[in-house]
Amino acid sequence: MRLSTVILPVRRWSEGGKEAWQRAEQLGFHAAYTYDHLSWRSFRDQTWFGALPTLTAAATATSRMRLGTLVTSPNFRHPVTLAKELISLDDISEGRITLGIGAGGNGFDASALGQEPWSPRERADRFAEFTTLLDRLLTQDAVSYEGTHYSADEVRNIPGCVQRPRLPFAVAATGPRGLRLAARLGQAWVTTGDPKVAQGEGTPAESREAIRRQIEGLEKACADQGRDAAELQKIMLTGFTPDRPLDSVDAFVDFAGRHAELGIDELVIHWPIADSVFAADPAVFERIATEASAQLTA
């Protein structure tokens, strides 16, 4: 199992931001991700920087670990401009970028551009069209497209991604339509667990059962596409289940083992942020990054 982290863009680069990304690489994390939001929940009235500039800076401050978003959504992005930025970022990082991508939700980003929040059906429609067009833009030198929600007119994306045929997509999905999209276009699949359990309505065992069902749905979607589900890396962004895996090294090893049995092969833990929902003991966090990671590898 791989161990990764997510570093929220809440620190100025000159005041601990840069050091966090470099320390993540020193600790041996497989990847370091960040949220792609304009703001997020309890951090809405606090410092919050842009995801892609942050990842660009992280790419120049590190040299080995993978970098990416968890996750980008159509809420305030357009496939044409996003594709150009991703190609540039993939070049700057020398091919270390993974695009976590999801449908988004009705949070702060959903109406920031002045639009009414989308219905669940429109959100799913947009997500499918957005991701399909983005795939074309990242794999073809010239693209023209006229869709229901997005268009592209003679768009050029030369020289394309460093990673071929394009940088990998990690598709966040739990419902049938999203899982079909992950099976069709994803190189990885992302879950945070069961949204109902994340809201405090369940137990750790119920959370694991929900993830088991999600993976079954992914396997079915892959079979329908004539694809082996084992080809997709299965990523879990932690912090949204009833478990408390960052309380100790033993707690994390137990948590990781139980989720490995389900088929999860990459766990992502939040870099500690004091006085927040992601508060954790930094010393325990670093021990998990080194000691627990070594146990999981063994």
Side-chain angles (χ1 to χ4, degrees):
M1 176 178 279
R2 291 169 169 170
L3 182 59
S4 298
T5 189
V6 58
I7 302 173
L8 299 191
V10 296
R11 301 176 181 86
R12 290 187 180 277
W13 195 247
S14 60
E15 298 175 2
K18 178 180 180 180
E19 287 76 9
W21 292 86
Q22 291 178 323
R23 183 58 178 158
E25 184 166 78
Q26 291 168 1
L27 289 170
F29 283 110
H30 166 68
Y33 303 95
T34 197
Y35 288 9
D36 187 11
H37 285 285
L38 300 176
S39 60
W40 191 79
R41 299 186 188 180
S42 57
F43 295 92
R44 188 179 187 186
D45 295 318
Q46 301 178 40
T47 300
W48 189 277
F49 292 104
L52 297 185
T54 296
L55 289 171
T56 302
T60 65
T62 61
S63 61
R64 300 184 306 277
M65 70 180 177
R66 293 195 65 80
L67 307 166
T69 56
L70 275 185
V71 292
T72 294
S73 82
N75 270 358
F76 60 93
R77 297 286 186 189
H78 191 285
V80 169
T81 50
L82 178 60
K84 183 66 71 174
E85 292 172 341
L86 290 172
I87 287 170
S88 303
L89 181 53
D90 200 44
D91 179 69
I92 292 166
S93 69
E94 299 182 318
R96 291 186 286 135
I97 298 300
T98 295
L99 178 71
I101 187 167
N106 290 329
F108 303 133
D109 299 331
S111 57
L113 300 184
Q115 76 272 29
E116 290 296 320
W118 302 321
S119 68
R121 180 166 186 166
E122 181 180 359
R123 183 169 296 282
D125 290 344
R126 284 179 174 271
F127 182 36
E129 188 176 326
F130 184 99
T131 307
T132 300
L133 177 54
L134 187 61
D135 173 66
R136 287 187 57 190
L137 289 162
L138 293 174
T139 55
Q140 299 175 19
D141 289 345
V143 174
S144 290
Y145 171 82
E146 186 67 38
T148 303
H149 303 290
Y150 303 101
S151 300
D153 182 25
E154 289 294 318
V155 175
R156 299 297 196 272
N157 277 319
I158 301 169
C161 296
V162 172
Q163 302 175 85
R164 293 293 181 171
R166 60 157 167 75
L167 54 81
F169 288 177
V171 180
T174 57
R177 290 188 65 183
L179 291 173
R180 287 196 296 270
L181 191 65
R184 183 164 61 90
L185 294 175
Q187 285 67 55
W189 166 74
V190 181
T191 184
T192 57
D194 185 347
K196 294 180 180 179
V197 175
Q199 294 167 7
E201 300 177 10
T203 65
E206 289 171 330
S207 172
R208 292 192 296 273
E209 174 60 21
I211 294 169
R212 185 192 64 77
R213 291 195 303 269
Q214 290 171 7
I215 292 176
E216 284 186 351
L218 179 65
E219 290 171 345
K220 181 181 184 303
C222 286
D224 292 343
Q225 291 285 331
R227 188 175 182 190
D228 184 354
E231 295 176 7
L232 275 74
Q233 184 177 352
K234 298 167 186 66
I235 303 171
M236 182 178 179
L237 175 60
T238 67
F240 302 97
T241 69
D243 312 88
R244 298 184 60 84
L246 299 188
D247 280 358
S248 68
V249 173
D250 288 344
F252 183 81
V253 170
D254 179 71
F255 175 86
R258 292 178 184 274
H259 287 81
E261 291 174 355
L262 297 173
I264 299 295
D265 44 33
E266 180 178 344
L267 287 175
V268 184
I269 56 177
H270 286 82
W271 197 268
I273 303 174
D275 301 319
S276 79
V277 294
F278 301 121
D281 185 331
V284 173
F285 177 85
E286 293 210 357
R287 286 186 61 206
I288 288 170
T290 53
E291 298 173 28
S293 183
Q295 290 185 50
L296 295 173
T297 301

